[in-house]
Amino acid sequence: MRDFYGETLQTPMMLGTARFPSPTMMEAAFRSSGASVATVSLRRERGAGQAFWEMVRGLGVHLLPNTAGCHSAREAITTAQMAREYFGTDWIKLEVIGHADTLQPDPFGLLEAAEALCADGFKVFPYTTEDQVLAARLIDAGCRVLMPWGAPIGSGMGLNNIHGLRTLRAAFPDVAMVVDAGLGLPSHAAQAMELGFDAILLNTAVAEAEDPPTMARAFALAAEAGALARTSGPMIARDMAVPSTPVIGKAWL
């Protein structure tokens, strides 16, 4: 697994902490998933109470605060600075939302905020699209991780642009990449890992399941299966059928 700002994650699973029916259920889902990273929103956690914060810290995973809900570079930068003080980490998942309905990232605000935060010593995980030009600009700004969306946040639609994600992965082979947002089924996670991504990040698909811990475990197993499939050297798809039984030497009746 690739390096994430000097850290090697034990599993390719990242999980959000929002939308769970209870803190206890959230904790159970994390234990079941074996997630290496927990994303937390400053705006949410500051109002959740010290007990919730202690529970999150007790998970023993890497903490990735995010700037969820920010719609401008200035707002995201301020939120990131507050998150660093509150959570005690320079990791930040950078979100600058540009469209109210799709929650698509604002590429201009995202790049502006990324440049400022990288210059300020943050280790930025930008929530972005699969656009290669934007990806190159973010890397030039100092980002060492990219988090392209699979589909709109919370939609559960899976990977909307497989070609775009595949070409993005191929264009920057040495950059750690996480498919973030839109994953609804464990099969989506396996597909992302089969494409060569290093991790997945999800929240809603687990939190809104009837049985969050079991769904979290399903996603973890799917991500592991996809990663193994990628590294095992999968066969190339063909246009024609190829018999699995050799025809050479076969008796013709």
Side-chain angles (χ1 to χ4, degrees):
M1 186 175 294
R2 287 179 180 81
D3 178 272
F4 286 79
Y5 289 108
E7 300 288 344
T8 300
L9 305 183
Q10 296 302 308
T11 69
M13 184 82 169
M14 300 182 178
L15 190 58
T17 56
R19 306 184 69 88
F20 285 91
S22 70
T24 300
M25 189 66 75
M26 181 273 293
E27 183 178 28
F30 266 89
R31 302 296 184 196
S32 179
S33 72
S36 294
V37 174
T39 61
V40 290
S41 170
L42 175 71
R43 295 179 175 184
R44 178 177 183 274
E45 307 308 343
R46 283 184 67 86
Q50 189 63 26
F52 184 86
W53 164 232
E54 292 295 338
M55 178 180 289
V56 171
R57 188 167 59 181
L59 295 173
V61 300
H62 293 284
L63 201 60
L64 180 59
N66 66 42
T67 62
C70 292
H71 291 263
S72 71
R74 177 179 294 181
E75 188 179 11
I77 292 167
T78 300
T79 302
Q81 291 168 339
M82 294 172 63
R84 180 162 61 181
E85 290 187 20
Y86 188 71
F87 294 114
T89 177
D90 53 9
W91 279 23
I92 191 72
K93 180 191 171 189
L94 179 60
E95 296 183 26
V96 182
I97 301 303
H99 194 281
D101 293 332
T102 65
L103 301 182
Q104 177 173 324
D106 172 1
F108 307 103
L110 180 66
L111 181 57
E112 180 184 347
E115 290 173 337
L117 292 174
C118 287
D120 193 26
F122 281 90
K123 296 171 181 176
V124 179
F125 293 63
Y127 164 61
T128 182
T129 66
E130 64 276 22
D131 183 270
Q132 289 188 42
V133 175
L134 176 57
R137 297 294 186 272
L138 290 168
I139 293 169
D140 289 343
C143 298
R144 296 293 171 260
V145 177
L146 297 176
M147 304 185 80
W149 65 346
I153 294 171
S155 68
M157 291 190 292
L159 307 185
N160 274 356
N161 185 358
I162 294 176
H163 172 72
L165 290 170
R166 181 184 290 115
T167 55
L168 178 68
R169 175 68 284 178
F172 304 99
D174 298 325
V175 176
M177 291 192 192
V178 183
V179 172
D180 173 22
L183 303 183
L185 295 171
S187 57
H188 299 155
Q191 187 177 33
M193 298 301 294
E194 287 169 2
L195 289 175
F197 286 87
D198 303 289
I200 57 167
L201 172 57
L202 64 149
N203 192 162
T204 307
V206 170
E208 294 190 356
E210 292 185 9
D211 185 345
T214 299
M215 183 61 79
R217 182 61 179 157
F219 267 98
L221 291 172
E224 181 181 358
L228 288 173
R230 173 70 177 187
T231 58
S232 66
M235 65 172 286
I236 303 300
R238 305 183 179 100
D239 293 330
M240 300 292 290
V242 177
S244 57
T245 302
V247 296
I248 298 177
K250 177 182 177 182
W252 294 94
L253 303 177

